[in-house]
Amino acid sequence: MAPIPGSGLAKGLAVTLRTMTKKTVTAQYPDAQPELPPRTRGVIGLFEENCTVCMLCARECPDWCIYIDSHKETVPPAAPGGRERSRNVLDRFAIDFALCMYCGICIEVCPFDALFWSPEFEYAETDIHELTHERDKLRDWMWTVPAPPALDPGAEEPKEIAAARKSAEKSAEKLAAAAQPEPTPEPGAGAAPGTGPGSAPQAKPTDLQGGES
C-alpha cells in the first residue's frame, strides 16, 4: 500500500506537539549547578600530610602524568642515645590532567590515603599547558571531597578500628588495675587457728588415743 502523502510530516509534527507539552529537562548551566553523584570522578585531590613520597602512584600511573620531587632530611633521635633517621620531604606533586585518563589507579594503590576523588569539574583552560596543576591546587580540591558514606549496620568492623579499640581497652584495664589500692591484711587474719600468741597448743591425734601403739 502506498504511503499517504504528507504522513511523515504529520508524524513529525505530532512528536513536536507532544514534546512541547512536557516539562523541560535542560539544566541551565552555569546558573544551575548539576547534582553530581558522590563518587563522581571529577578531579584528584591531594592530602599532603599523608604523602610519604613512596612514588607508588607515579610508578603505577599508565599515562605517567604524575610528577613528584622530594629531598631527604635527617631527623634527630626521639630519645637520648637513639639513632638519627632520614625521611623524604615532598617538594613537588603535580598532575597533568591533559594526560590523565581518570582511571583511579593512583588513588587505589596509595597505601596512606593521600589521594581522593573530588566531584569538582570546572577547571577547563584555554592553554593545554595550564592543565598541569601543582600540589597547592590539588590541596585546595581536598575541601571539595565529599565525606565517605556511612558503613552498613551489619558490616564487619574494619581491622584498623578493631585493633585500635582493643589496644585502648587493654590500656584502660591496666590503668584501672594500677589505680586500685592493694588490700591491707588485718593482724592475725591469715594465721591458722591456735597458732596465734597466747593460744594453747593443740593435742595431737595420738595423744587423744592414749599414746602411740
Side-chain angles (χ1 to χ4, degrees), residues 85-157:
R85 298 181 181 274
S86 62
R87 67 184 181 95
N88 290 326
V89 179
L90 185 66
D91 292 330
R92 185 194 183 199
F93 195 108
I95 300 178
D96 186 358
F97 287 98
L99 297 176
C100 179
M101 64 180 185
Y102 304 91
C103 62
I105 293 178
C106 57
I107 298 175
E108 294 177 3
V109 301
C110 180
F112 301 104
D113 292 336
L115 298 174
F116 296 88
W117 277 120
S118 167
E120 181 66 32
F121 63 93
E122 297 177 320
Y123 54 95
E125 301 290 347
T126 56
D127 187 359
I128 194 173
H129 297 92
E130 296 180 1
L131 285 174
T132 301
H133 295 287
E134 301 293 334
R135 64 177 181 175
D136 294 336
K137 185 62 176 179
L138 301 179
R139 177 59 185 267
D140 292 340
W141 278 325
M142 272 300 302
W143 300 107
T144 63
V145 174
L151 295 177
D152 189 271
E156 183 180 355
E157 187 178 22

